[in-house]
């Protein structure tokens, strides 16, 4: 079922969704089931699966010289989506990125997804690979997420990149895009970021999932700013627990979001992992309860590595 249909069917009740990463290459699918099994008690409406592009590494050859090779540390996004749908009978939302994909490869990936009965796609640009400073599209690929949205929308209308196809079958994807309550890090200012977001919606996106935030005011202000420019689609807040002192540094640097002083101070005072887990859990419960009260359509939990904390949060708010 489409994400937007889940929201319509809920008729104002806040739903829950989860986000997972495919396991590192070499690990089994059981590692994903192990994380998700306990959380399925709370009946998430859908589960997102992230996409990780190849990284370039230098490998030493037998003659002593080096060659540059692409390695994908976390392959399997589409396979995991199919496995989740099969195993849990839950809707899966694969993330699809522009980076590393030509338009033809994107088209083929979309055809696979539609054959698998996947109804949703989160359309993203992706970031530059670790060893590159700026995002560079594939020579035959897309520069921005909006271009990917347009391609998916075209396929929904039976228009293929492959020009020889006439009267091609139509897909029916529900298209999600990313939004940034604290602005995307490359954008010169919030207004221009909002303008680009509006363009993604006008191009046919059906809903927005936000970058994580730790201060709900940022989400509420973002929703208000979206509504003021006539972005009317559902805006799904993304939440993640902070459970260690290290994350006070890694989260702002990786995701370009602020951590409120009160939360940072409480984490700094913790002496054990159990204490910091508790602080992260309590903060997330406070955020989730407020979002439910304010009528958020869905709360999307970035499950990344802390399923026990998410479990405890769900237990307290459900
Ligand atoms: P875009 O919407 O293309 O925007 C990128 C930047 O370009 C923004 O600053 C925007 O303001 C600007 N911009 C847009 N259009 C134009 C234009 N026409 N001219 C000039 N500037 C423009 N990354 C992954 O690799 N895999 C994932 O699975 C993944 N999942 C994510 C899930 C969520 C919910 C979020 C919020 C992010 C996720 N990301 C993922 C990270 C994402 O790929 C990065 O944040 C990336 O830098 C931007 O992606 P985007 O889709 O928002 O890009």
């Amino acid at each position: 079922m489409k994400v937007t249909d889940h929201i319509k069917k809920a008729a104002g009740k806040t739903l829950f969704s989860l986000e997972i990463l495919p396991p590192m290459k070499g690990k089994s699918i059981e590692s994903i089931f192990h994380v998700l099994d306990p959380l399925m008690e709370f009946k998430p409406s859908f589960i997102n699966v992230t996409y990780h592009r190849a990284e370039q590494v230098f490998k030493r050859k037998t003659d002593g010289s080096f060659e540059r090779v692409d390695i994908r540390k976390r392959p399997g996004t589409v396979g995991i989506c199919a496995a989740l749908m099969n195993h849990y009978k839950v809707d899966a939302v694969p993330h699809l990125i522009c980076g590393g994909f030509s338009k033809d490869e994107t088209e083929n990936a979309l055809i696979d997804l539609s054959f698998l009965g996947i109804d949703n796609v989160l359309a993203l640009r992706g970031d530059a690979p670790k060893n590159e400073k700026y995002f560079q599209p594939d020579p035959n690929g897309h520069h921005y997420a909006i271009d990917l949205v347009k391609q998916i929308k075209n396929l929904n209308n039976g228009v293929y990149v492959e020009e020889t196809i006439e009267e091609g079958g139509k897909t029916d994807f529900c298209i999600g895009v990313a939004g940034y309550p604290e602005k995307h890090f490359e954008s010169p200012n919030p207004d221009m970021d909002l303008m680009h977001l509006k363009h993604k919606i006008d191009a046919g996106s059906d809903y927005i999932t936000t970058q994580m935030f730790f201060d709900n005011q940022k989400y509420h202000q973002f929703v208000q700013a979206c509504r003021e420019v006539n972005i009317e689609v559902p805006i799904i807040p993304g939440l993640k627990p902070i459970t260690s002192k290290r994350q006070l540094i890694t989260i702002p640097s990786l995701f370009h979001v602020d951590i409120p002083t009160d939360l940072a101070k409480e984490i700094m005072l913790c002496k054990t992992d159990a204490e910091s887990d508790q602080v992260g859990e309590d903060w997330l419960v406070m955020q989730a309860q407020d979002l439910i009260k304010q009528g958020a359509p869905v709360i999307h939990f970035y499950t990344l590595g802390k399923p026990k904390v998410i479990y405890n949060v769900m237990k307290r708010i459900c």
Side-chain angles (χ1 to χ4, degrees), residues 19 49-53 95 97 122-127 143-146 178-180 184-187 192-193 196 200 209-211 302:
E19 180 163 315
V49 184
T50 55
Y51 187 91
H52 300 263
R53 69 183 292 182
H95 293 190
I97 63 171
L122 192 71
L124 301 145
R125 187 196 68 178
D127 284 316
H143 207 124
Y144 293 109
I146 187 175
Y180 302 83
H184 183 260
F185 70 103
E186 290 169 23
S187 190
M192 292 190 76
D193 205 26
H196 291 306
K200 287 196 284 194
T209 302
T210 76
Q211 181 59 281
Y302 292 106

Side-chain angles (χ1 to χ4, degrees), residues 3-4 7 14 177-181 194 197 201 206-211 213 218-238 291 295-300:
V3 166
T4 44
I7 293 170
T14 302
V177 287
Y180 302 83
L194 192 63
L197 178 60
I201 303 306
D206 299 296
Y207 71 97
I208 296 165
T209 302
T210 76
Q211 181 59 281
F213 55 86
K218 303 242 165 101
Y219 168 78
H220 296 312
Q221 285 160 2
F222 176 67
V223 173
Q224 196 184 339
C226 286
R227 301 308 180 218
E228 280 167 11
V229 297
N230 300 321
I231 294 176
E232 302 296 349
V233 298
I235 303 177
I236 299 176
L291 290 165
V298 182
I299 297 180
H300 184 66

Side-chain angles (χ1 to χ4, degrees), residues 76 88 97 130 144 156 214 239 270 275:
Y88 296 117
I97 63 171
K130 278 196 184 111
Y144 293 109
N156 280 352
F214 299 92
L239 294 186
C270 293
E275 276 178 29

Side-chain angles (χ1 to χ4, degrees), residues 64-177:
S65 65
F66 286 89
E67 67 174 340
R68 213 164 68 167
V69 290
D70 282 351
I71 54 160
R72 280 194 62 204
K73 290 185 177 163
R74 291 182 186 273
T77 301
V78 176
I80 301 265
C81 284
L84 294 182
M85 288 167 67
N86 190 32
H87 192 77
Y88 296 117
K89 312 288 173 237
V90 67
D91 280 300
V93 183
H95 293 190
L96 200 58
I97 63 171
C98 304
F101 278 83
S102 68
K103 289 172 199 161
D104 284 311
E105 287 165 341
T106 297
E107 183 158 282
N108 295 339
L110 288 166
I111 289 169
D112 278 345
L113 295 176
S114 121
F115 285 170
L116 284 167
I118 290 174
D119 297 323
N120 304 282
V121 174
L122 192 71
L124 301 145
R125 187 196 68 178
D127 284 316
K130 278 196 184 111
N131 53 339
E132 289 173 27
K133 211 164 178 193
Y134 304 105
F135 175 83
Q136 290 288 345
D138 180 278
N140 295 309
H142 296 305
H143 207 124
Y144 293 109
I146 187 175
D147 306 312
L148 179 54
V149 170
K150 286 178 184 169
Q151 181 175 1
I152 303 170
K153 203 68 194 167
N154 275 342
L155 210 61
N156 280 352
N157 289 319
V159 178
Y160 286 68
V161 172
E162 176 61 65
E163 284 166 359
T164 54
I165 298 172
E166 287 171 20
E167 295 183 27
K170 295 178 183 181
T171 55
D172 189 20
F173 290 111
C174 171
I175 309 169
V177 287

